[in-house]
């Protein structure tokens, strides 16, 4: 019976191709919009997850909260405290530094370039990949000896020296009010898609790495400890441990110690983006109602045009239920076909757009299945009234209809 109804529905669609296509158009646009918007949202969420992964999903910071009423100078950390903390948790912490940064103007002849230097330890490449193209990374002697050596990002090196191949060359720079000569020991490059570059914005400041001991010398104090845990260590489980240790070291209640992880930041951003994607997708889904109304309208026209056919079928023994199922099948088929075309259209636009801007796109199968199922439900729902109207026709009156 189902095959027969499907066959009759397909025949009715073929007989009125243009009308059927225009009826499907509302569903195509609605489903296509939903697929495109949700997929774009999921793709952006995946992009942000990748960006946070680059920062380090095993990364965290710990500090005495700024919100305490009696914040004192001893609430800052010293290098000795950093080394003690690293030693105590050597089985949990793979890397730790003072989270130091410095903005400075690098001068080479007439060229002056503004840099933002991140202070790192020699084993930083163990926790964060540095894609070197020339020279080497900072080593243990550079850090422990506070040597004035730096690693520059490719664009900054070219701006300062006119070429990225500048390992071994020197320049002048003022840090902590001391103007001294620094040596480039390495040059790295950071790969970014056009979309990532657009989202990060255009900055006039170049990037680079410098021994953190230059920015945080002996006797200096700094606000927080920046650390990476070993692979296999659950950072969320570790936070209470390091919180208790720092609280005891600083003679503070544990409630006054603040911690933050990249995973927590990533979760907050993902929640916001997910909510926005669902909200905008829901707004786009309203267009499906317009498509459903179009289906109802055309099915009412179809019922009127096929009144005589309904009378003949009833005269030959078709039950009221059979007539109703016939027209429900037709409306559901129109909606489902429109939904499939909409999925291909929406998904195709997302994939094509992603390839043009160098972005990896995400089209979830669950969203596709949900979209097809929802379009079929729309077809059934808006087909109920026309189908019931067809099924309720009196066979004698239907046979008389011209």
């Amino acid at each position: 019976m189902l095959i027969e109804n499907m066959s009759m529905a397909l025949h009715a669609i073929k007989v009125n191709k243009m009308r059927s296509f225009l009826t499907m158009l509302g569903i195509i646009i609605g489903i296509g919009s939903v697929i495109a918007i949700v997929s774009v949202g999921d793709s952006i969420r995946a992009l942000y997850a990748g960006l946070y992964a680059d920062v380090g999903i095993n990364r965290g910071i710990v500090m005495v909260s700024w919100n305490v009423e009696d914040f004192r100078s001893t609430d800052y950390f010293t290098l000795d405290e950093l080394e003690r903390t690293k030693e105590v948790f050597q089985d949990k912490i793979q890397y730790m530094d003072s989270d130091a940064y410095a903005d400075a103007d690098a001068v080479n002849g007439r060229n002056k370039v503004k840099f933002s230097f991140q202070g790192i330890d020699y084993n930083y490449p163990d926790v964060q990949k540095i894609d070197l193209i020339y020279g080497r990374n900072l080593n243990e002697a550079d850090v422990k000896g506070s040597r004035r050596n730096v690693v520059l990002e490719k664009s900054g090196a070219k701006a300062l020296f006119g070429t990225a191949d500048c390992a071994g060359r020197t320049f002048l720079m003022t840090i902590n009010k001391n103007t001294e000569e620094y040596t480039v020991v390495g040059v790295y490059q950071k790969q970014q898609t056009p979309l990532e570059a657009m989202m990060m914005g255009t900055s006039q400041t170049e990037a680079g790495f410098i021994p953190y001991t230059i920015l945080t010398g002996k006797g200096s104090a700094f606000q927080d400890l920046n650390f990476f845990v070993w692979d296999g260590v659950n950072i969320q489980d570790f936070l209470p441990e390091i919180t208790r240790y720092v609280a005891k070291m600083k003679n503070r209640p544990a409630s006054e110690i603040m911690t933050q992880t990249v995973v927590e930041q990533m979760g907050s951003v993902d929640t916001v983006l997910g909510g926005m994607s669902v909200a905008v997708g829901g707004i786009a889904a309203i267009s499906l109602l317009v498509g459903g109304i179009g289906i109802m309208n055309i099915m009412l026209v179809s019922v009127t045009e096929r009144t005589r056919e309904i009378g003949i079928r009833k005269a030959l023994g078709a039950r009221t239920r059979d007539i109703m199922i016939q027209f429900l099948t037709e409306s559901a088929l129109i909606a489902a076909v429109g939904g499939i075309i909409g999925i291909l259209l929406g998904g195709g636009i997302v994939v094509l757009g992603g390839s043009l801007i160098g972005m990896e796109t995400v089209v979830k199968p669950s969203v596709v299945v949900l979209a097809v199922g929802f379009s079929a439900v729309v077809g059934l729902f808006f087909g109920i009234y026309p189908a019931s109207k067809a099924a309720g026709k009196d066979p004698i009156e239907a046979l008389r209809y011209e």
Side-chain angles (χ1 to χ4, degrees), residues 57-127:
I57 58 174
N58 289 343
R59 181 184 179 186
I61 62 170
V62 59
M63 67 177 77
V64 177
S65 175
W66 280 97
N67 293 326
V68 298
E69 293 182 1
D70 58 335
F71 192 89
R72 47 188 183 258
S73 60
T74 54
D75 290 329
Y76 289 103
F77 294 98
T78 65
L79 286 176
D80 288 338
E81 289 173 332
L82 184 152
E83 292 300 329
R84 288 206 309 271
T85 305
K86 194 191 305 185
E87 185 177 350
V88 168
F89 295 107
Q90 58 184 316
D91 60 330
K92 303 284 182 67
I93 293 177
Q94 182 180 7
Y95 174 88
M96 179 177 280
D97 64 34
S98 60
D99 201 21
Y101 288 83
D103 291 335
D105 291 328
V107 179
N108 174 46
R110 295 184 177 182
N111 291 335
K112 179 189 277 191
V113 180
K114 189 173 185 62
F115 277 87
S116 179
F117 283 100
Q118 179 183 349
I120 62 171
D121 206 344
Y122 69 92
N123 62 333
Y124 183 77
D126 293 341
V127 293

Side-chain angles (χ1 to χ4, degrees), residues 58-350:
N58 289 343
R59 181 184 179 186
I61 62 170
V62 59
M63 67 177 77
V64 177
S65 175
W66 280 97
N67 293 326
V68 298
E69 293 182 1
D70 58 335
F71 192 89
R72 47 188 183 258
S73 60
T74 54
D75 290 329
Y76 289 103
F77 294 98
T78 65
L79 286 176
D80 288 338
E81 289 173 332
L82 184 152
E83 292 300 329
R84 288 206 309 271
T85 305
K86 194 191 305 185
E87 185 177 350
V88 168
F89 295 107
Q90 58 184 316
D91 60 330
K92 303 284 182 67
I93 293 177
Q94 182 180 7
Y95 174 88
M96 179 177 280
D97 64 34
S98 60
D99 201 21
Y101 288 83
D103 291 335
D105 291 328
V107 179
N108 174 46
R110 295 184 177 182
N111 291 335
K112 179 189 277 191
V113 180
K114 189 173 185 62
F115 277 87
S116 179
F117 283 100
Q118 179 183 349
I120 62 171
D121 206 344
Y122 69 92
N123 62 333
Y124 183 77
D126 293 341
V127 293
Q128 288 286 272
K129 182 181 178 182
I130 299 178
D131 188 9
L132 279 177
I133 53 176
Y134 299 108
R136 63 172 175 84
N137 281 308
L138 299 175
N139 57 32
E140 189 172 3
D142 293 328
V143 176
K144 291 190 173 180
S146 299
R147 293 179 179 174
R148 294 185 296 276
N149 292 337
V150 299
V151 178
L152 302 182
E153 202 274 327
K154 179 181 176 181
S155 64
K158 290 181 70 175
L160 187 60
F161 295 103
T163 175
D165 188 3
C166 59
R169 298 183 66 173
T170 61
F171 62 93
L172 291 176
M173 184 165 62
T174 302
I175 288 182
N176 295 332
K177 298 181 180 180
N178 295 319
T179 302
E180 296 174 292
E181 189 176 73
Y182 287 80
T183 301
V184 180
V185 296
V187 177
Y188 71 99
Q189 65 178 353
K190 189 171 184 179
Q191 300 290 349
Q192 284 185 322
T193 66
L195 180 63
E196 287 174 336
M198 181 181 69
M199 293 178 69
M200 296 300 289
T202 55
S203 174
Q204 301 301 315
T205 304
E206 303 293 347
F209 297 112
I210 194 170
Y212 81 93
T213 49
I214 290 178
L215 305 182
T216 314
K218 287 291 183 181
S220 299
F222 45 93
Q223 180 184 350
D224 58 79
L225 299 176
N226 174 55
F227 63 89
F228 288 77
V229 297
W230 289 97
D231 289 339
V233 174
N234 187 313
I235 192 168
Q236 296 299 328
D237 293 339
F238 173 64
L239 290 181
E241 256 186 276
I242 195 169
T243 296
R244 288 191 296 269
Y245 177 80
V246 171
K248 185 176 180 181
M249 181 170 64
K250 293 300 183 183
N251 194 26
R252 288 282 190 183
S255 60
E256 295 180 354
I257 306 302
M258 187 175 76
T259 60
Q260 190 173 42
T261 68
V262 170
V263 173
E264 290 170 345
Q265 293 177 352
M266 185 170 63
S268 299
V269 172
D270 186 68
T271 300
V272 172
L273 290 176
M276 289 176 61
S277 180
V278 170
V280 177
I283 293 171
I286 294 175
S287 61
L288 286 173
L289 296 177
V290 178
I293 293 170
I295 290 176
M296 180 186 287
N297 179 58
I298 207 66
M299 290 306 298
L300 286 171
V301 173
S302 182
V303 167
T304 302
E305 290 179 345
R306 294 156 65 185
T307 300
R308 191 172 182 81
E309 174 194 329
I310 294 168
I312 293 172
R313 288 201 65 199
K314 281 198 167 186
L316 293 175
R319 295 166 297 180
T320 299
R321 186 181 66 180
D322 297 330
I323 302 296
M324 189 164 186
I325 291 174
Q326 175 192 345
F327 282 90
L328 279 177
T329 302
E330 188 174 329
S331 63
L333 188 62
I334 289 173
V337 172
I340 293 171
I341 296 173
I343 288 167
L344 295 175
L345 182 64
I349 289 173
V350 171

Side-chain angles (χ1 to χ4, degrees), residues 8-24:
M8 286 189 292
L10 286 172
H11 176 73
I13 291 172
K14 287 179 182 179
V15 169
N16 299 286
K17 295 184 182 68
M18 180 56 69
R19 189 171 73 181
S20 298
F21 173 74
L22 292 174
T23 305
M24 294 177 189

